[in-house]
Structures are given as C-alpha cells and as structure tokens.
Amino acid sequence: MALDSLDQRDTEDSSRFTWRDLIHRVTGIDLGPGKDSRYEQDLRNRIRVAVGGAFPIAVLNLKGGVGKTAVVEALGSTFAAVRHNRVLAVDIDAGDLAERHGRRNPFSMADLLTDHAVTQYTDVRAHTYLNSFGLEVLGLPDYAHTEWRLERPDVVRLLSIVKNHYSVVLVDCVKALNSAVMEAVLPESLALVVVTSTSADAIRKTRTTLEWLCHNGYQRLMKSTVLAINHVEPAKVDRVVARELERLSAHLAATVVLPFDRHVHEGKRIELDRLSKKSRRSYLEMAAVLADMFPASGSER
C-alpha cells in the first residue's frame, strides 16, 4: 500500500551464511537443512498458522524494570517478520515503546480516538509507524504536552477498531492491573505474556501478578499464559530463584527463557537482526507457543 511505502520495510526472514551454504556453492552438493534449521523452520511454520480473526495478547507484570516493553517490540517484530501480515503493538503504559521501535509517529492514539470517522485500515495506519520487520506501533501522546488521558471507554473503542484490521495485537500494559484501562484489556485478551526478570523482587511481583489474575476472574487465562523469564543482566540465577521460577511455571501454559542480550541492554531501537542467535531463537519459540493458541478456524488476513 502507499502508506507502507513511506516506511522502509524488508519482510524477508533474516538468514545467515553457513558452512552448508559454502559446501553447496563450492561442490554443488546440497546437504539439506541442519537440525537447527529444521527446528527453526518448524517454529516459523507454527507461527504462520491462520488466525480466525484478531488475536489480542496482553504483555504485563506489576513489576517495572523487567524489560516488558522490549519483549513487546521484539515479540511483535518476530510475529510480523515471519507472518508477513498486519501485526500491531499498542502502548497503553506511556513507556518507551516508540523509542524501542525506532521513532514516534506525530499522530497518536489520542488523534485516532478523537477522529470518529476512523473505520478503515488506512485510517488506523496513518497513526502508526511501521518498522523494517513489519511491526506497527500505536503510541500514546506526549503527556507533557496534552491534557488528554486514556480512559476505559477509549480502550474499548480502540480494541474494537484494531481487531478488524490486524492478525495479532500486542498490548504493552500498565503495571496497575486493577486500573480501569486493564478492565478493558483483560476481558479481550486471548493470551497473556507475563514478563519477569530473575531478581527476587521481580519474582515476588510475578507471583502476586498471577495470584491477582486468578482471584479476579481471569483464572481461564492461566492456560494461555506464557511466562517470559527475561535476563536483563548477565548474572547467573541461583538455585532458590530457579526453584521459585519452576513453581510459577508449573501453573502456566509455557515458559520461555530470554537470555541476556547486549543489543537490548543498550536501551535503544531494537532490531531483530542485531539480537543474538539465542535471543532470536527464544522469540521464535515464544511466538510459536502463542500461535499454537490461535483459533483453528478462519482464514489468513
């Protein structure tokens, strides 16, 4: 589309030159894909499965500083790069998603919601920014220069609009789970990603997060919750922490370990092709687990 041409986009899956490629070029002998390549191709095939409508995923934790926004950006970019269709990340936390994404669109969620004529994809697209991997981000306005504040009816209307145009919608959630905006997000979510670091405080808050969800009517979501253990520092995990993480994982659909990554740690724009091989593999695994939860019916957008 014309709108997409305004952003640089390369949706080809990133690939690396391997010794198998070298042998094929020199001798003409094709050894076929290696074990790792076959595994990653299987992950991509799972991620590409058709979605019967939009699939909203809430990414959350009561604890800040666990890398939640970085996970939203990298996971969303992974979905978009592999699926080759519309994937949206929505920032309702007023964090740094726009900066981790690349740059901010001058139009924000406030502009979209105050325009009651918005119905078509092109209307929404005018308020998002598309990165080179195909992920769109819709951000909040700069609160220092506006009196507009996000309210529950805004979130309800926003989700009703974007669900008509995107296959996967990730929501970068506020830390206050008992807030009005989360009362709009959680009932619409078909899956959760609970992000935790390996610090004792983060793990305590993660346990509280999961208990709050269970005690407030969201027990059903435990079967579609992924625990993302995010190593925000290169330190090793001690046995006590490992046992607690194992206990938390036992009640959830899946657990994915995100290794410490210097590119993410820089705090700048996140680019998938600059992540370590282990990080890229972990995000493929997380996306595949979530894609396994997609409704079986419906057709690809």
Side-chain angles (χ1 to χ4, degrees), residues 27-170:
T27 68
I29 299 173
D30 187 358
L31 298 178
K35 186 181 295 183
D36 284 352
S37 296
R38 289 195 298 270
Y39 175 63
E40 291 196 0
Q41 187 57 49
D42 177 64
L43 294 175
R44 290 187 174 90
N45 289 340
R46 288 162 61 190
I47 295 167
R48 291 188 182 112
V49 69
V51 183
F55 194 82
I57 303 168
V59 184
L60 50 84
N61 199 322
L62 288 167
K63 169 70 175 171
V66 295
K68 172 173 61 68
T69 296
V71 170
V72 170
E73 175 66 21
L75 178 61
S77 292
T78 299
F79 267 120
V82 175
R83 290 186 59 80
H84 300 300
N85 63 8
R86 299 173 191 164
V87 178
L88 177 70
V90 177
D91 180 13
I92 66 169
D93 193 29
D96 61 350
L97 182 57
E99 286 69 29
R100 305 314 298 268
H101 190 63
R103 63 180 171 86
R104 187 183 297 273
N105 190 310
F107 298 105
S108 70
M109 188 185 304
D111 300 299
L112 185 151
L113 291 171
T114 54
D115 182 356
H116 293 283
V118 169
T119 56
Q120 303 300 315
Y121 169 68
T122 51
D123 301 327
V124 180
R125 178 67 184 86
H127 299 81
T128 67
Y129 175 59
L130 184 82
N131 71 6
S132 59
F133 304 98
L135 173 67
E136 293 180 49
V137 160
L138 178 64
L140 290 167
D142 183 353
Y143 278 164
H145 300 95
T146 181
E147 295 182 357
W148 186 87
R149 293 293 182 270
L150 184 67
E151 305 290 348
R152 186 179 186 280
D154 299 320
V155 179
V156 171
R157 180 165 178 260
L158 174 67
L159 292 175
S160 70
I161 293 171
V162 300
K163 283 166 60 178
N164 292 323
H165 306 297
Y166 295 89
S167 64
V168 178
V169 178
L170 295 116

Side-chain angles (χ1 to χ4, degrees), residues 74-280:
L75 178 61
S77 292
T78 299
F79 267 120
V82 175
R83 290 186 59 80
H84 300 300
N85 63 8
R86 299 173 191 164
V87 178
L88 177 70
V90 177
D91 180 13
I92 66 169
D93 193 29
D96 61 350
L97 182 57
E99 286 69 29
R100 305 314 298 268
H101 190 63
R103 63 180 171 86
R104 187 183 297 273
N105 190 310
F107 298 105
S108 70
M109 188 185 304
D111 300 299
L112 185 151
L113 291 171
T114 54
D115 182 356
H116 293 283
V118 169
T119 56
Q120 303 300 315
Y121 169 68
T122 51
D123 301 327
V124 180
R125 178 67 184 86
H127 299 81
T128 67
Y129 175 59
L130 184 82
N131 71 6
S132 59
F133 304 98
L135 173 67
E136 293 180 49
V137 160
L138 178 64
L140 290 167
D142 183 353
Y143 278 164
H145 300 95
T146 181
E147 295 182 357
W148 186 87
R149 293 293 182 270
L150 184 67
E151 305 290 348
R152 186 179 186 280
D154 299 320
V155 179
V156 171
R157 180 165 178 260
L158 174 67
L159 292 175
S160 70
I161 293 171
V162 300
K163 283 166 60 178
N164 292 323
H165 306 297
Y166 295 89
S167 64
V168 178
V169 178
L170 295 116
V171 183
D172 190 354
C173 297
V174 297
K175 291 180 284 295
L177 297 183
N178 60 347
S179 62
V181 293
M182 290 305 292
E183 289 178 359
V185 171
L186 289 171
E188 294 292 331
S189 300
L190 297 181
L192 304 180
V193 174
V194 177
V195 183
T196 184
S197 69
T198 57
S199 73
D201 184 42
I203 293 170
R204 283 195 298 270
K205 287 292 181 67
T206 299
R207 175 173 288 282
T208 302
T209 298
L210 297 173
E211 289 176 349
W212 186 93
L213 290 165
C214 289
H215 297 156
N216 286 272
Y218 301 106
Q219 177 70 35
R220 64 175 178 82
L221 285 172
M222 294 300 99
K223 295 181 179 179
S224 53
T225 294
V226 175
L227 180 66
I229 303 173
N230 190 24
H231 287 258
V232 297
E233 299 291 343
K236 293 183 178 179
V237 177
D238 63 39
R239 292 183 179 181
V240 174
V241 168
R243 284 197 295 269
E244 181 62 17
L245 288 170
E246 186 176 355
R247 282 193 287 267
L248 292 177
S249 302
H251 304 288
L252 307 176
T255 299
V256 176
V257 177
L258 302 172
F260 174 76
D261 195 295
R262 295 192 181 280
H263 174 55
V264 176
H265 190 66
E266 291 172 354
K268 300 176 182 178
R269 178 175 65 179
I270 293 175
E271 300 176 80
L272 285 183
D273 51 6
R274 294 190 60 195
L275 295 179
S276 69
K277 182 177 181 180
K278 288 184 178 180
S279 291
R280 293 195 304 273

